[in-house]
């Protein structure tokens, strides 16, 4: 019946990351265009140096609130009408921010590109930032935070950041701000943030799809050419790791059927010379379905539906984090398995098979990552945000194939720190504290959903 | 924009669709088996989904966990999913790996049972129980996707019971159940295969024949029990659930025309006018103007049998009562029911749906899945090329007539989540602004 031997693959066809061209307008705005004619769509992705790391101290959440407010009307078009205009063009304006950047983006049928650029120019240059809308969005963020205290996944992420960074670090608080900072953000804060961070010289406008650079440049010069403004001083808060010994923190959620686990410490920044080795090491440890941590916790022990590890390499050092949700009764056992896997990948080189699985996957999957104009546009935004070389994506597959077991082990030894791991568990103290105390040396801290220690 | 399509049937009943696009060296393989939770027997809720997990545990020539590894080693992505009346399995791989993907799918279609063991079943059972805990039991509002079908379909209806299953029923599942289910439903005549992307048609056809050709046709599957229900609920069905949540959330469902029926695109357009994106009625009124809700959307389940459901999903701001939320949602629904919609609203909805569709077609995997859908439910993958024109043909008069007939008080089922008394106060951090 079916052939008993796996078929041999044919010869791989060549693939190249789309070519792109960069131009600079006289006002300092950078324009990047990549032509892709597969389907009649175009993505416009505008990236601003206006991320959460630039929040004023005490007003954490300003960057995200500013980005959200952009969509709520301009000085000539009210919020309801603005949404209607975008959507009559078949698209929705997506505005937002993360740690390192803010964005305005949308994807339209190619014929609508001129109309959408006109609207975007108004949004970027003359947002209304009306009191009513800013306050509404601020209140929505507070509602989100209230829900987060009751939602184990978000709560685990929030608590993990608190314990791996010093309290004064920006990364210790959520990118959207917390209950202490958000209520104090005013419309004036938002307006000032927009005026100082949304400026031509610190912005890149990326267009990917069924168009070409000459057409796009002409349109952008027309819509954005008069845009003026200069960026304020760029002072980001340094992100200091918490000085720390390995500790366990249980965030109490009585009767929880599962524990949400976050285990890790501060990782590396994006520009670190070891970034690629750490990334490949992470793929083997917990980044792929066939990774050590997932196969151990899910397929061997059935503790969980899924377990993975992640290196969040921001412009500064974001977390290295192992994340899973396990049946409450096996919480301590799962923690033990994770810590064992960390030790194992540091103590012994990974096998040739494990390395080849990771590199073959990262190499082969490359074109599949970029099937859509939106995905290509995001990749180009990353070139700008992280200062990657223009040929970064061209060299990527070769760099991955050149990885060695020695470099992977060095990455594990140099960048995984078992003695500093913070182990955060959102779960039922009655079930988990006993076994955890038996497992670990050192204290098991129990806290409530606001982080307040239980007596 | 037209998707190229070639389709044919093997002697064993497997329906094959080929859609070539040679521009990017990626190919997607997609199989739909026409079986889902609706086909489960009593006492075996969740079985179709548990069975889906077993499909990844190996087959006659593939070791345990080798399926995932082989596709990832080939540089591919993969997954599967279970729904009420179908289960799909899919992978996207570099195009030179097409035959490997087809071989894997054929081996598990033809020769799964050789690799099934009690140990694998026990492991996947526990994995699925954890999935249930993660997505349903330990998640605010998590039970909605069990409670809503239970509320909107009669008890004996195949769509009534839980897709992920109860812990007890999962515990009861046996290897014998696995064998019976496989022989009954996992046969080539109960499946469609789609290949989309970079391939050479004659070569692909040869691969399909080589790997699937000798798999024997099934003995025929038992028909589903009657799926029809009355066009309207006949009243207002309500359920209120106290949960560990910080704000009330309302799911308001209406029986609507099935996917594939003449009026499906009309209903889908109505849902978009009511609740798709920020220009929709629900968002503009409840979120922006009245500031009662933090989100308010509407969608259709897209069921192809019996009836579809059009669902409004609105979450109140924390300081808003469930009563106020219900009244505000009802007011929007009453308005569209009594006064209908405008041409401009239809235009907006269709523009959004059309752009979304074209964007979706960029991905070989998404194209393949849509083609499998049209082949499975309607026997005609070429319908994919009619989608945009079907939506463009929808008129305001049709949408208004649909709203008149189906959005009245005689066709409502509401599932309302309310915060457990004291729940929010217990976690509100002291000193924070209310």
């Amino acid at each position: 019946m079916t052939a008993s031997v796996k078929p041999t693959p044919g010869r791989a066809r060549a693939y190249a990351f789309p070519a792109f061209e960069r131009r600079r307008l006289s006002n300092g705005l950078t324009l990047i265009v990549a032509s892709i004619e597969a389907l009649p769509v175009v993505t416009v992705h505008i990236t601003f140096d206006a991320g959460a790391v630039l929040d004023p101290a005490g007003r954490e959440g300003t960057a995200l609130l500013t980005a959200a407010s952009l969509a709520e009307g301009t000085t000539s078009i009210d919020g309801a009408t603005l949404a209607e205009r975008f959507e009559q063009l078949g698209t929705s304006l997506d505005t937002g921010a993360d740690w390192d950047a803010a964005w305005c983006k949308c994807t339209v049928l190619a014929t609508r590109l001129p109309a959408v650029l006109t609207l975007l120019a108004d949004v970027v240059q003359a947002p209304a930032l009306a009191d009513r809308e800013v306050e509404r969005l601020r209140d929505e963020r507070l509602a989100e935070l209230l829900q987060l205290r009751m939602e184990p996944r978000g709560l685990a992420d929030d608590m993990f950041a608190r314990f791996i960074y010093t309290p004064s670090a920006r990364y210790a608080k959520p990118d959207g701000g917390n209950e202490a900072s958000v209520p104090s953000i005013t419309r004036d804060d938002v307006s000032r943030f927009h005026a100082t961070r949304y400026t031509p010289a610190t912005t890149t406008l990326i267009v990917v799809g069924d168009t070409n650079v000459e057409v796009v440049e002409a349109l952008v010069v027309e819509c954005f050419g008069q845009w003026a403004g200069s960026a304020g001083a760029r002072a980001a808060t340094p992100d200091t790791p918490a000085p720390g010994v390995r500790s366990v923190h249980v965030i109490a959620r009585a009767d929880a059927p599962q524990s949400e686990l976050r285990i890790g410490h501060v990782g590396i920044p994006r520009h670190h010379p070891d970034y690629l080795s750490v990334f490949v090491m992470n793929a083997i440890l917990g980044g792929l379905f066939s990774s050590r941590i997932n196969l151990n916790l899910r397929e061997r022990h059935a503790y969980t539906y899924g377990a993975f590890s992640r290196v969040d390499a921001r412009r500064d050092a974001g977390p290295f984090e192992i994340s899973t949700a396990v049946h409450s009764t096996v919480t301590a056992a799962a923690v033990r398995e994770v810590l064992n896997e960390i030790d194992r990948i540091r103590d012994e080189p990974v096998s040739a098979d494990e390395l080849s699985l990771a590199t073959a996957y990262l190499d082969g999957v490359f074109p599949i990552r970029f099937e859509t104009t939106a995905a290509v546009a995001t990749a180009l935004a990353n070139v700008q945000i992280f200062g990657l070389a223009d040929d970064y994506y061209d060299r990527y597959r070769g760099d991955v194939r050149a990885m060695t077991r020695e470099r992977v082990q060095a990455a594990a030894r140099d960048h995984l720190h078992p003695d500093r791991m913070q182990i955060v568990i959102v779960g039922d103290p009655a079930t988990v504290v006993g076994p955890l105390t038996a497992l670990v040396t050192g204290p098991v801290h129990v806290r409530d959903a606001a982080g307040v220690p239980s007596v | 924009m037209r998707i190229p399509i070639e389709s044919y049937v093997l002697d064993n009943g497997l329906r094959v669709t080929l859609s070539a696009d040679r521009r990017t060296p990626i190919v997607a393989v997609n199989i739909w088996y026409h079986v889902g939770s609706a086909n489960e027997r009593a006492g075996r809720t969740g079985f179709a989904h548990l069975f889906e997990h077993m499909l990844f545990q190996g087959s006659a020539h593939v070791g345990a966990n080798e399926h995932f590894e082989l596709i990832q080693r080939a540089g591919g992505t993969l997954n599967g999913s279970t729904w009420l009346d179908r289960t799909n399995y899919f992978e996207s791989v570099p195009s030179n790996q097409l035959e490997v993907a087809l071989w894997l799918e054929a081996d598990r279609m033809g020769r799964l049972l050789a690799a099934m063991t009690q140990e694998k079943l026990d492991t996947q059972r526990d994995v699925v129980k954890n999935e249930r805990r993660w997505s349903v039991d330990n998640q605010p509002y998590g039970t909605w996707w069990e409670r809503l079908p239970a509320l909107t379909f009669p008890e004996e209806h195949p769509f009534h019971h839980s897709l992920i299953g109860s812990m007890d029923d999962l515990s009861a599942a046996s290897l014998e159940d696995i064998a019976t289910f496989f022989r009954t439903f996992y046969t080539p005549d109960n499946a469609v295969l789609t290949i989309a992307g970079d391939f050479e048609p004659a070569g692909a056809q040869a691969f399909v024949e080589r790997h699937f050709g000798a798999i024997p046709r099934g003995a025929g599957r038992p028909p589903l029990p009657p799926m029809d229900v009355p066009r309207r609920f006949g009243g207002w069905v309500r359920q209120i659930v106290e949960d560990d949540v910080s704000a009330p959330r309302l799911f308001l469902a209406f029986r609507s025309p099935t996917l594939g029926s003449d009026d499906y695109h009309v209903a889908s357009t109505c849902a978009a006018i009511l609740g798709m994106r920020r220009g929709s009625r629900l968002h503009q009124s409840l979120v922006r103007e009245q500031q009662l809700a933090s989100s308010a959307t509407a969608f259709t389940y897209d069921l192809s049998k019996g009836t579809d459901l059009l669902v409004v999903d609105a979450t109140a701001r924390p300081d808003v009562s469930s009563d106020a939320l219900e009244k505000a949602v009802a007011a929007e629904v009453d308005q569209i029911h009594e006064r209908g919609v405008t041409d401009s609203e239809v235009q907006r909805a269709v523009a959004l749906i059309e752009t979304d569709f074209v964007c979706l077609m960029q991905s070989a995997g998404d194209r393949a899945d849509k083609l499998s859908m049209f082949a499975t439910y309607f026997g005609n993958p070429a319908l994919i090329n009619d989608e945009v024109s079907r939506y463009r043909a929808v008129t305001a008069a049709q949408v208004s007539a649909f709203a008149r007939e189906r959005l009245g008080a005689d066709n409502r089922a509401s599932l309302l989540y309310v915060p457990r008394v004291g729940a929010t106060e217990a976690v509100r951090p002291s000193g924070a602004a209310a």
Side-chain angles (χ1 to χ4, degrees):
Chain A
M1 207 203 294
T2 46
S4 56
V5 175
K6 180 177 83 80
T8 321
R11 200 152 45 98
R13 278 185 62 201
Y15 171 82
F17 184 78
F20 60 94
E21 198 172 324
R22 185 188 277 104
R23 295 201 176 162
R24 207 146 174 273
L25 274 58
S26 55
N27 60 1
L29 176 66
T30 302
L31 172 66
I32 297 180
V33 181
S35 289
I36 298 177
E37 287 163 21
L39 281 171
V41 290
V42 179
T43 294
V44 181
H45 179 143
I46 312 177
T47 180
F48 308 92
D49 183 16
V53 293
L54 299 173
D55 281 338
R59 313 274 166 111
E60 291 82 6
T62 301
L64 265 69
L65 185 56
T66 304
S69 301
L70 291 179
E72 301 297 336
T74 73
T75 54
S76 43
I77 311 171
D78 73 74
T81 310
L82 185 66
E84 174 74 16
R85 294 256 178 102
F86 273 100
E87 294 176 14
Q88 287 287 352
L89 293 173
T91 188
S92 313
L93 173 59
D94 173 2
T95 65
D98 59 18
W99 293 109
D100 293 318
W103 60 81
C104 289
K105 52 185 174 167
C106 60
T107 300
V108 280
L109 298 183
T111 50
R112 297 166 187 176
L113 179 61
V116 104
L117 280 172
T118 305
L119 280 176
L120 283 168
D122 198 16
V123 164
V124 167
Q125 294 171 75
L129 306 175
D131 282 292
R132 187 184 187 274
E133 307 308 334
V134 171
E135 280 159 27
R136 171 173 65 84
L137 292 170
R138 193 187 60 202
D139 289 346
E140 283 179 16
R141 172 61 184 159
L142 289 170
E144 210 174 69
L145 284 165
L146 202 59
Q147 180 62 30
L148 185 138
R149 301 282 150 226
M150 313 188 71
E151 196 268 288
R153 299 178 213 173
L155 187 57
D157 292 335
D158 176 63
M159 288 293 161
F160 178 70
R162 287 199 207 190
F163 295 121
I164 65 172
Y165 289 101
T166 56
S168 59
R170 179 63 189 90
Y171 287 165
K173 308 172 193 80
D175 56 3
N178 58 21
E179 292 92 337
S181 66
V182 170
S184 47
I185 305 173
T186 64
R187 190 266 172 194
D188 281 349
D189 292 321
V190 167
S191 174
R192 194 171 320 124
F193 196 86
H194 173 263
T196 55
R197 302 307 335 160
Y198 288 71
T199 68
T202 54
T203 298
T204 302
L205 198 156
I206 299 162
V207 179
V208 177
D210 186 14
T211 184
N212 67 71
V213 67
E214 303 306 337
V215 164
V216 173
E217 187 176 22
L219 287 168
V220 171
V221 164
E222 190 184 323
C223 302
F224 288 86
Q226 304 310 306
W227 187 21
S230 53
R234 191 185 192 286
T237 321
D239 276 288
T240 321
V245 296
R246 191 153 88 183
S247 303
V248 180
H249 309 270
V250 174
I251 312 302
R253 186 173 162 82
D255 305 318
Q258 264 190 341
S259 300
E260 285 281 348
L261 270 53
R262 304 288 183 271
I263 300 174
H265 50 63
V266 173
I268 56 169
R270 184 68 180 77
H271 59 78
H272 197 291
D274 295 346
Y275 172 76
L276 189 62
S277 318
V278 171
F279 187 81
V280 175
M281 182 275 293
N282 181 72
I284 296 167
L285 177 65
L288 303 182
F289 183 87
S290 311
S291 68
R292 291 185 172 190
I293 285 177
N294 194 51
L295 289 183
N296 181 332
L297 264 60
R298 173 178 153 139
E299 295 298 312
R300 190 161 359 122
H301 288 106
Y303 290 158
T304 180
Y305 172 51
F308 64 92
S309 66
R310 191 168 76 115
V311 175
D312 189 357
R314 306 168 185 166
R315 280 172 76 165
D316 295 310
F320 163 75
E321 175 189 54
I322 294 157
S323 176
T324 186
V326 300
H327 192 189
S328 297
T329 53
V330 298
T331 301
V335 170
R336 185 193 61 226
E337 291 302 322
V338 167
L339 296 177
N340 287 348
E341 291 296 352
I342 304 275
D343 287 340
R344 187 161 74 97
I345 202 166
R346 295 180 78 243
D347 294 343
E348 306 152 13
V350 301
S351 70
D353 257 5
E354 284 177 300
L355 178 61
S356 67
L357 171 60
T359 56
Y361 172 71
L362 292 170
D363 176 18
V365 88
F366 188 77
I368 298 173
R369 293 169 56 185
F370 303 117
E371 280 191 280
T372 65
T373 54
V376 173
T378 300
L380 292 170
N382 286 340
V383 167
Q384 298 300 98
I385 293 163
F386 298 113
L388 306 177
D390 276 1
D391 65 352
Y392 172 81
Y393 289 109
D394 297 327
R395 299 170 47 99
Y396 181 82
R397 300 171 84 175
D399 289 346
V400 160
R401 283 195 301 270
M403 188 55 56
T404 66
R405 297 162 68 207
E406 292 71 31
R407 284 171 62 198
V408 167
Q409 191 178 18
R413 288 216 166 116
D414 294 342
H415 299 293
L416 295 179
H417 309 290
D419 51 317
R420 272 188 242 155
M421 292 273 161
Q422 299 301 302
I423 300 161
V424 175
I425 295 155
V426 175
D428 179 18
T431 310
V432 310
V433 170
L436 282 169
T437 309
L439 174 70
V440 299
T441 51
V444 174
H445 307 278
V446 180
R447 301 163 191 274
D448 69 13
V452 175
S454 310
V455 190
Chain B
M1 184 199 83
R2 287 193 83 68
I3 310 291
I5 293 166
E6 249 187 84
S7 45
Y8 62 100
V9 187
L10 297 188
D11 289 342
N12 59 15
L14 179 68
R15 285 155 290 163
V16 184
T17 302
L18 305 179
S19 177
D21 174 354
R22 315 225 53 189
R23 279 174 293 202
T24 318
I26 297 166
V27 69
V29 171
N30 182 294
I31 296 190
W32 276 39
Y33 291 92
H34 203 168
V35 61
S37 62
N39 303 89
E40 290 160 358
R41 64 179 177 85
R44 291 292 184 273
T45 61
F47 189 80
H49 171 244
L50 175 58
F51 190 87
E52 181 223 313
H53 273 247
M54 298 306 291
L55 262 270
F56 292 91
Q57 303 313 309
S59 46
H61 304 110
V62 179
N65 278 312
E66 213 190 339
H67 185 108
F68 249 95
E69 185 178 322
L70 284 173
I71 293 290
Q72 291 202 313
R73 200 174 273 284
T77 59
L78 74 159
N79 217 324
S81 74
T82 311
W83 183 231
L84 302 186
D85 63 354
R86 73 95 182 102
T87 310
N88 65 355
Y89 301 89
F90 46 90
E91 43 275 324
S92 291
V93 293
S95 46
N96 63 317
Q97 302 277 3
L98 172 60
E99 196 182 1
V100 174
L102 290 171
W103 171 74
L104 282 168
E105 291 297 351
D107 204 56
R108 58 187 181 173
M109 180 190 286
R111 304 277 291 263
L112 179 78
L113 296 183
M116 296 290 95
T117 67
Q118 188 65 47
E119 192 187 337
K120 288 176 182 176
L121 175 58
D122 291 340
T123 300
Q124 290 310 308
R125 188 203 319 277
D126 281 342
V127 171
V128 168
K129 286 183 174 180
N130 280 312
E131 186 181 351
R132 200 209 137 85
R133 289 180 191 110
W134 185 73
S135 49
V136 178
D137 300 330
N138 204 32
Q139 188 63 1
Y141 316 108
T143 56
W144 82 266
W145 48 289
E146 282 186 321
R147 291 185 181 276
L148 193 60
L151 189 64
T152 52
F153 289 95
E155 198 175 326
E156 65 284 359
H157 194 283
F159 286 165
H160 171 91
H161 66 266
S162 169
L163 176 59
I164 197 156
S166 70
M167 293 299 193
D168 283 348
D169 284 2
L170 289 169
S171 294
S174 71
L175 269 187
E176 202 184 302
D177 294 325
I178 296 282
T180 310
F181 200 81
F182 176 74
R183 289 187 187 113
T184 310
F185 296 110
Y186 276 69
T187 62
D189 51 308
N190 195 38
V192 307
L193 164 67
T194 302
I195 304 172
D198 178 31
F199 60 90
E200 193 270 315
Q205 283 189 286
F207 290 155
V208 170
E209 180 57 40
R210 178 182 311 161
H211 296 291
F212 291 88
I215 302 176
R217 178 183 283 269
R221 39 167 291 169
L224 281 169
M227 304 290 283
D228 288 340
V229 290
R231 285 166 78 85
R232 293 183 281 271
F233 289 111
W236 195 325
V237 184
R238 286 166 63 84
Q239 184 179 103
I240 298 177
V241 178
E242 275 194 15
D243 197 2
D244 294 320
V245 297
S246 61
R249 183 174 182 182
L250 173 67
F251 296 91
L252 180 60
F254 309 86
R255 287 193 172 149
S256 63
T258 51
L259 183 71
S261 66
D262 285 343
D263 280 341
Y264 165 77
H265 296 83
V266 172
S268 171
T269 302
C270 187
I273 290 171
L274 255 180
M276 183 179 188
R277 313 283 165 79
R278 288 199 296 268
S280 66
R281 288 203 184 185
L282 284 167
H283 189 276
Q284 296 281 40
S285 174
L286 268 60
V287 178
R288 169 191 295 282
E289 281 163 30
Q290 300 181 66
Q291 300 195 8
L292 295 169
S294 54
S295 84
T297 63
F299 62 92
T300 51
Y301 259 69
D302 294 350
L303 297 169
S304 67
K305 302 172 176 64
T307 182
D308 195 8
L309 293 173
L310 188 156
V311 182
V312 169
D313 174 4
T315 303
R317 295 267 290 267
D319 45 341
V320 170
S321 72
S322 59
D323 204 53
L325 178 70
E326 278 198 289
K327 285 198 161 69
V329 169
E332 286 309 310
V333 174
D334 287 341
Q335 175 155 71
I336 203 171
H337 165 67
E338 284 153 24
R339 309 228 245 151
V341 303
T342 66
D343 289 336
S344 173
E345 287 181 301
V346 172
Q347 223 165 280
R348 183 197 74 98
V350 170
L352 285 172
I353 291 169
E354 178 179 354
T355 302
D356 275 5
F357 179 81
V358 176
C359 285
L360 197 68
M361 293 297 104
Q362 294 179 95
S363 150
D366 287 328
R367 286 199 302 280
D369 199 58
K370 276 270 185 255
L371 288 165
S372 289
M373 185 272 280
F374 285 113
T376 300
Y377 289 146
F378 313 122
N380 184 3
L383 288 171
I384 197 175
N385 286 319
D386 291 346
E387 272 299 273
V388 170
S389 56
R390 293 291 304 258
Y391 276 106
R392 284 193 187 152
V394 171
T395 67
Q398 287 170 328
V399 176
S400 301
F402 161 79
R404 196 91 195 67
E405 198 217 333
R406 302 282 203 137
L407 301 190
D410 62 344
N411 186 30
R412 296 183 188 180
S414 55
L415 173 62
L416 178 66
Y417 283 83
V418 298
R420 236 187 269 284
V421 175
T424 310
E425 286 312 309
V427 299
R428 196 188 290 266
S430 55

